[in-house]
Amino acid sequence: MTENAQQQPTAPSTELPTQYAPADVEGPLYERWVERGYFAADAKSDKPAYTIVIPPPNVTGSLHLGHAFQHTLMDALTRRKRMQGFEALWLPGMDHAGIATQNKVEQQLAEEGKSRQDLGREEFVERVWQWKEEYGGRILGQMRRLGDGVDWDRERFTMDEGLSKAVQTIFKKLYEDELIYRAERIINWCPRCLTAISDIEVEYQEDDGELVSIKYGEGDETLVVATTRAETMLGDTAVAVHPDDERYKHLVGKRIKLPLTDRTIPVVADTHVDPEFGTGAVKVTPAHDPNDFAIGQRHDLESITVMDERAVITVHGPFEGLDRFEARSAIVAALRSQGRIVAEKRPYVHSVGHCSRCSTTIEPRLSMQWWVKVGPLAKAAGDAVRDGRVKIHPEDMSKRYFDWVDNMHDWCISRQLWWGHRIPVWYGPEGEVVCVGPDEQPPTGEGWRQDTDVLDTWFSSGLWPFSTLGWPEQTADLRKFYPTDVLLTGHDIIFFWVARMMMFGLYAMDGEVPFKTIALTGLVRDERGKKMSKSFGNVVDPLDWMDKYGSDAVRFTLARGANPGTDVPIGEDWVQASRNFANKIWNATRFALMNGATVEGPLPDPSEMSATDRWILSRLNKTVAEVDAFYDDFQFAKLSDSLYHFAWDEVFDWYVELSKTTFQAGGRGAEVSRRVLGEVLDVTLKLLHPVVPFVTDTLWTTLTGGESVVIADWPADSGFRDDTAEQEIETLQSVITEVRRFRADQGLQPGQRVPARLTLDGTALAPHEAAIRQLLRLQPEGDAFAATATLPVAGATVALDLSGTIDVAAERKRLAKDLAAAEKEKAQATAKLGNEAFLAKAPDNVVDKIRGRLAKADEDIARIQAQLDRLPQA
């Protein structure tokens, strides 16, 4: 709890506006932080490094609540470490977002009546760069609004010069190590985006389709197959049955007629077929289904592609030129007319893959693509977690990680786009293939051409933890800040991003992990726990809430809901409550300054302090220790809740209120309490700062005269504890709470004064009589005092004269009526719960509801009877 040695406090100002106006404070204060270089990290510093790289948002994106949530947590981690004396680097940047960005520019061109083909590749790519400069990066300005303490001097983009060099370097290294190869396989194809997409970019949803059963062959040599994609039958090159299926053994090896065509196809035996499912026979279309492709490989079947890149049929006259869905209906109608439809089921609800970018139904397609051989890379990524070099938090999320890395298929990394990192491979006129590194000249001469595809966006973002620090050059940043400390991200992109960074980091950095801890968060949902979606109408723009309540309120609400790995519900009422908390901090600090709270000089010796002073300092140190433990365990909700209740309940509602009588009394006691209050506020504002940076910096600099809380020392637990003082103040609190409850039960207004006699002798409460009277609005008893209600509490007695404040007879009559109603409710509930016939028939939720009514009635009876017992006889 010592002042930062770099900051010599000046005489603090006691001037604060009567109300906190976030809009007037936040923008200018953030720019001041940036101008003073508070967020800039120094690779030459001898301080220990602490590094977080921001999950790069898409260049097309804008700040949504998910971003605001994760950025708040990363900022809190980094700000705390900076205050703890670490050379903290939080590195920002953006992803070029290949498909999304290309779609944006193509939409813009379409409005002009043009296509990318009209411009040509070079001009189109230049147009995308122009779009990026004009419209991209909107989110970066929004990050400033939120208060992100990132090092803007190190901002990166996945297609900047340095990262492009890193991409080419690792591609060539993987290629030479035979971990990148080119092969023709079934991939997920988007007919709208006209590119391959990876398995994890396919979103599955339940669609209404149709299941048709079709008779293949003639006479005795017939089989029935069922399909949801009748249009693909034009590319069938076999029918498969299980080798042990007695029904079809006589057909295996024979050829049967493929309907609607002039072809015959073989019947093959393959163990992939489930004889118990459907008819036990399946059509095999190697060019349009991954399982069929595998069967085709095993049986040396021909692969016939029947659709072009836009999913338009390209074979068999009557259907040629039809869209796949049009062809489906036409083919079923043609088969029906020939009597080959055995059964039809509509609607047939089944899981269908859709492009995550544009929602178009995915088409499995045989295509020549580039692949990463992930086997050895994925094993290394799994081993790094298993042997403890990387911790996953919460630990139970490790299973999801292992499920993925232990069962990963080779990764299709080529995309049929123009915007992105172009694959650095050249093909020669004689079939030559040359992979070119970043410092090498590509081959020239007639007939040489570069591969037209670009790399999957996740390929470049997989290099993010080390490419952003200068790799492949051995930079000072790389030496200082790698490996990074924490990757904080949503559990939904373990597969997209986390595993890829693990694979590439371990491979490129000679087995050194890219981060020491993976802290996984849940997703932000609405206040009812429902996923936020435009179609649901529940999407919230966090900027609207920032405008209305301030960025601190949004941040605190998000942090307070952040339990590791679990989803975060959020509603506007909660943001409003956080705004009220910021106002409470403001008003309490303003009161303290007006009453002379100070941080000047050392803390007085505990022997000079009152029990109230020692209690709050003991609670303060326990809170410091608790908050540190929660930070180290990524328990943001718990640390926020701990700070909320300590600040609001203990500091503002109790210590500040109890100090008022001390200040009024003056003397040495008031001087001591002013210093204690200054200390408590100093530390509390520091503890709150990482989560609510704006209001705390404004108040802390006013209180202490220091330069900024951003660069202040993080509080340390001094070890001071006083359990005796804590017990004494807890007793005092129980007395005040109990009497307040009694006053409220009697209908007394909070400010209404009541004559009272306090019997405190022989208890720890004796020194607190003035505070008790002030907080409870109790007047001296006077000559005409007549005790009409006596409350024994915690060994003390509080006698009240209510004769001039309430009509005792009327109050007894009211309470008696309430008691009768509660007893009637109890009798009815007891009767129902004692009725065996009722319990046998009633649903569990009805019985639970009646049990709840009985419990409530018991509570009401006890409460009302206690109120009656406290009233004098009428």
Side-chain angles (χ1 to χ4, degrees):
M1 295 185 199
T2 59
E3 185 66 42
N4 189 313
Q6 298 174 357
Q7 301 177 65
Q8 296 302 319
T10 59
S13 167
T14 58
E15 297 289 327
L16 278 176
T18 55
Q19 291 185 324
Y20 178 50
D24 296 339
V25 170
E26 293 176 350
L29 182 54
Y30 184 84
E31 293 308 317
R32 189 154 65 248
W33 291 336
V34 173
E35 288 166 6
R36 291 178 176 177
Y38 293 159
F39 308 140
D42 182 2
K44 297 177 182 178
S45 166
D46 57 3
K47 296 179 183 177
Y50 182 83
T51 316
I52 297 180
V53 292
I54 210 166
N58 287 352
V59 67
T60 58
S62 59
L63 189 76
H64 56 64
L65 272 175
H67 290 131
F69 170 55
Q70 292 180 357
H71 286 213
T72 293
L73 305 187
M74 285 184 276
D75 194 31
L77 289 173
T78 312
R79 285 177 182 269
R80 172 175 174 257
K81 286 295 183 180
R82 189 178 290 118
M83 294 172 75
Q84 286 182 315
F86 285 78
E87 194 62 40
L89 169 61
W90 187 22
L91 193 148
M94 292 185 297
D95 191 284
H96 66 277
I99 296 175
T101 309
Q102 180 156 320
N103 282 348
K104 286 276 189 186
V105 178
E106 287 194 86
Q107 289 166 13
Q108 197 177 67
L109 287 174
E111 293 170 3
E112 301 170 14
K114 298 177 184 177
S115 69
R116 61 181 163 118
Q117 286 76 17
D118 293 330
L119 272 65
R121 183 168 192 146
E122 188 174 333
E123 189 176 342
F124 176 77
V125 170
E126 180 58 34
R127 179 72 175 260
V128 181
W129 278 109
Q130 291 172 6
W131 182 93
K132 185 258 181 186
E133 292 305 314
E134 187 172 355
Y135 300 105
R138 178 182 172 211
I139 194 171
L140 299 177
Q142 296 166 338
M143 286 163 56
R144 301 171 91 92
R145 282 286 314 275
L146 187 65
D148 282 9
V150 296
D151 187 344
W152 291 111
D153 292 338
R154 284 182 169 83
E155 181 192 333
R156 303 306 300 267
F157 180 56
T158 51
M159 281 183 64
D160 67 28
E161 184 179 349
L163 269 64
S164 295
K165 182 176 183 179
V167 167
Q168 279 189 270
T169 300
I170 202 164
F171 186 98
K172 179 158 188 179
K173 180 173 169 60
L174 288 161
Y175 181 82
E176 291 178 343
D177 287 347
E178 298 183 349
L179 293 173
I180 281 183
Y181 63 94
R182 194 168 184 243
E184 189 175 46
R185 292 189 183 172
I186 292 287
I187 47 88
N188 302 299
W189 181 265
C190 176
R192 158 63 184 80
C193 298
L194 299 179
T195 183
I197 63 173
S198 65
D199 291 343
I200 51 181
E201 292 173 298
V202 178
E203 292 181 347
Y204 287 90
Q205 61 189 50
E206 298 297 306
D207 285 359
D208 287 344
E210 60 182 355
L211 181 68
V212 293
S213 298
I214 309 166
K215 183 172 67 176
Y216 281 31
E218 303 289 352
D220 293 335
E221 297 182 346
T222 62
L223 299 106
V224 175
V225 300
T227 182
T228 58
R229 300 168 66 219
E231 68 280 7
T232 63
M233 68 166 292
L234 300 175
D236 286 358
T237 55
V239 173
V241 298
H242 195 277
D244 298 331
D245 195 330
E246 294 294 335
R247 294 171 295 176
Y248 304 120
K249 276 194 172 181
H250 67 291
L251 292 177
V252 173
K254 294 185 177 181
R255 299 184 73 86
I256 60 173
K257 180 77 165 60
L258 177 65
L260 303 182
T261 74
D262 57 4
R263 292 191 291 119
T264 61
I265 57 177
V267 178
V268 299
D270 196 282
T271 54
H272 170 75
V273 180
D274 180 0
E276 303 298 324
F277 184 77
T279 64
V282 297
K283 59 190 286 299
V284 181
T285 322
H288 291 279
D289 182 274
N291 293 320
D292 294 2
F293 178 78
I295 293 174
Q297 294 286 98
R298 288 193 290 272
H299 297 276
D300 198 24
L301 299 175
E302 183 183 5
S303 295
I304 300 175
T305 299
V306 299
M307 289 179 229
D308 68 9
E309 61 183 7
R310 298 184 185 275
V312 172
I313 302 298
T314 58
V315 299
H316 202 70
F319 311 109
E320 190 171 357
L322 295 179
D323 171 80
R324 55 183 164 164
F325 300 122
E326 296 171 335
R328 183 177 299 174
S329 299
I331 287 169
V332 170
L335 290 167
R336 192 183 298 114
S337 70
Q338 294 183 7
R340 288 191 172 275
I341 299 295
V342 176
E344 297 180 66
K345 184 176 181 180
R346 293 189 188 88
Y348 178 72
V349 179
H350 61 136
S351 181
V352 178
H354 294 259
C355 174
S356 62
R357 303 294 182 186
C358 68
S359 299
T360 301
T361 300
I362 289 301
E363 191 63 43
R365 187 169 190 251
L366 185 61
S367 180
M368 182 67 76
Q369 302 285 343
W370 285 93
W371 303 81
V372 172
K373 183 180 179 181
V374 300
L377 302 175
K379 182 183 183 304
D383 290 346
V385 175
R386 286 189 170 95
D387 65 24
R389 282 176 289 156
V390 176
K391 306 287 187 187
I392 292 181
H393 189 89
E395 192 176 351
D396 58 12
M397 284 282 179
S398 298
K399 183 180 183 303
R400 295 185 66 181
Y401 176 81
F402 291 132
D403 285 346
W404 179 250
V405 298
D406 292 347
N407 300 285
M408 197 182 294
H409 300 296
D410 282 4
W411 172 19
C412 176
I413 56 171
S414 44
R415 298 291 180 267
Q416 289 64 55
L417 303 171
W418 286 356
W419 171 247
H421 294 283
R422 194 165 175 179
I423 288 175
V425 171
W426 271 255
Y427 306 105
E430 303 299 325
E432 303 96 328
V433 178
V434 176
C435 181
V436 178
D439 300 318
E440 300 169 351
Q441 290 298 318
T444 57
E446 187 175 348
W448 283 94
R449 59 184 178 84
Q450 186 178 0
D451 196 300
T452 57
D453 289 350
V454 301
L455 288 163
D456 178 9
T457 296
W458 295 103
F459 188 95
S460 52
S461 58
L463 316 181
W464 191 250
F466 53 93
S467 64
T468 52
L469 296 172
W471 188 90
E473 306 302 327
Q474 294 303 307
T475 63
D477 276 2
L478 195 64
R479 288 191 295 272
K480 177 74 175 179
F481 298 112
Y482 190 89
T484 67
D485 287 85
V486 177
L487 171 70
L488 189 144
T489 191
H491 61 64
D492 56 324
I493 60 170
I494 291 177
F495 321 122
F496 285 94
W497 192 44
V498 178
R500 308 230 189 280
M501 286 190 290
M502 285 286 283
M503 292 192 302
F504 282 166
L506 290 160
Y507 174 75
M509 299 299 293
D510 299 322
E512 197 167 14
V513 297
F515 23 73
K516 299 164 191 172
T517 301
I518 302 168
L520 296 171
T521 70
L523 308 179
V524 178
R525 298 184 177 272
D526 72 12
E527 56 197 302
R528 296 177 181 83
K530 193 173 183 180
K531 180 181 178 181
M532 288 193 175
S533 163
K534 289 181 181 177
S535 59
F536 296 153
N538 61 351
V539 173
V540 173
D541 184 344
L543 294 173
D544 292 341
W545 282 351
M546 288 184 213
D547 289 341
K548 194 170 182 180
Y549 303 110
S551 298
D552 282 334
V554 174
R555 289 170 62 114
F556 192 72
T557 305
L558 290 165
R560 206 171 176 195
N563 289 299
T566 60
D567 290 347
V568 183
I570 185 172
E572 187 167 1
D573 288 350
W574 305 338
V575 184
Q576 186 172 350
S578 295
R579 187 271 315 272
N580 294 344
F581 179 52
N583 288 342
K584 185 79 169 180
I585 301 169
W586 183 271
N587 291 333
T589 307
R590 188 168 176 272
F591 164 83
L593 289 167
M594 291 172 62
N595 283 273
T598 180
V599 297
E600 293 181 12
L603 275 173
D605 190 83
S607 63
E608 290 192 275
M609 297 179 188
S610 67
T612 310
D613 294 331
R614 287 181 277 111
W615 159 72
I616 198 62
L617 288 176
S618 183
R619 288 294 307 125
L620 177 68
N621 278 285
K622 286 182 178 179
T623 301
V624 170
E626 188 173 69
V627 167
D628 276 334
F630 286 144
Y631 261 116
D632 292 342
D633 199 35
F634 303 99
Q635 297 281 358
F636 295 99
K638 290 182 179 179
L639 73 89
S640 299
D641 218 44
S642 174
L643 285 170
Y644 176 89
H645 288 295
F646 174 71
W648 192 306
D649 299 345
E650 298 187 270
V651 179
F652 305 149
D653 276 358
W654 283 108
Y655 184 70
V656 167
E657 291 301 313
L658 290 169
S659 296
K660 288 179 180 178
T661 54
T662 307
F663 294 153
Q664 289 170 1
R668 178 58 181 163
E671 288 180 20
V672 170
S673 289
R674 288 188 182 101
R675 179 65 187 90
V676 170
L677 179 54
E679 181 75 8
V680 170
L681 286 174
D682 175 18
V683 173
T684 302
L685 291 170
K686 288 175 181 176
L687 291 173
L688 284 165
H689 172 72
V691 180
V692 284
F694 293 106
V695 68
T696 51
D697 195 40
T698 304
L699 294 174
W700 187 87
T701 52
T702 305
L703 171 72
T704 67
E707 182 183 336
S708 173
V709 73
V710 176
I711 55 172
D713 287 338
W714 181 252
D717 174 8
S718 71
F720 177 80
R721 302 289 190 275
D722 193 325
D723 293 337
T724 302
E726 287 194 44
Q727 182 60 52
E728 183 174 325
I729 302 304
E730 283 174 19
T731 303
L732 174 62
Q733 290 170 332
S734 67
V735 170
I736 292 171
T737 301
E738 185 65 23
V739 176
R740 279 176 173 167
R741 186 181 296 119
F742 175 76
R743 287 176 56 108
D745 288 343
Q746 307 311 312
L748 296 176
Q749 295 301 313
Q752 191 171 353
R753 294 195 168 276
V754 177
R757 176 184 298 146
L758 305 184
T759 306
L760 306 176
D761 292 344
T763 73
L765 299 174
H768 301 287
E769 179 169 353
I772 293 172
R773 286 190 177 277
Q774 180 163 317
L775 292 176
L776 291 173
R777 303 295 190 269
L778 302 180
Q779 297 177 181
E781 54 191 275
D783 295 338
F785 179 82
T788 57
T790 302
L791 285 74
V793 188
T797 303
V798 179
L800 304 174
D801 183 353
L802 305 178
S803 57
T805 56
I806 62 171
D807 184 332
V808 174
E811 185 64 15
R812 277 191 166 277
K813 186 175 180 180
R814 181 185 71 78
L815 290 171
K817 184 178 178 182
D818 291 346
L819 182 61
E823 288 172 338
K824 181 180 178 181
E825 175 74 0
K826 178 179 180 178
Q828 291 174 341
T830 302
K832 284 191 175 183
L833 293 173
N835 184 334
E836 295 296 335
F838 169 77
L839 292 176
K841 295 178 182 178
D844 290 345
N845 65 318
V846 172
V847 175
D848 288 343
K849 188 173 181 181
I850 293 170
R851 288 192 178 116
R853 284 170 49 193
L854 178 60
K856 175 70 165 54
D858 281 334
E859 289 176 8
D860 289 345
I861 289 168
R863 176 180 54 80
I864 297 166
Q865 190 60 59
Q867 290 176 240
L868 281 166
D869 291 344
R870 287 169 177 163
L871 282 175
Q873 296 300 318

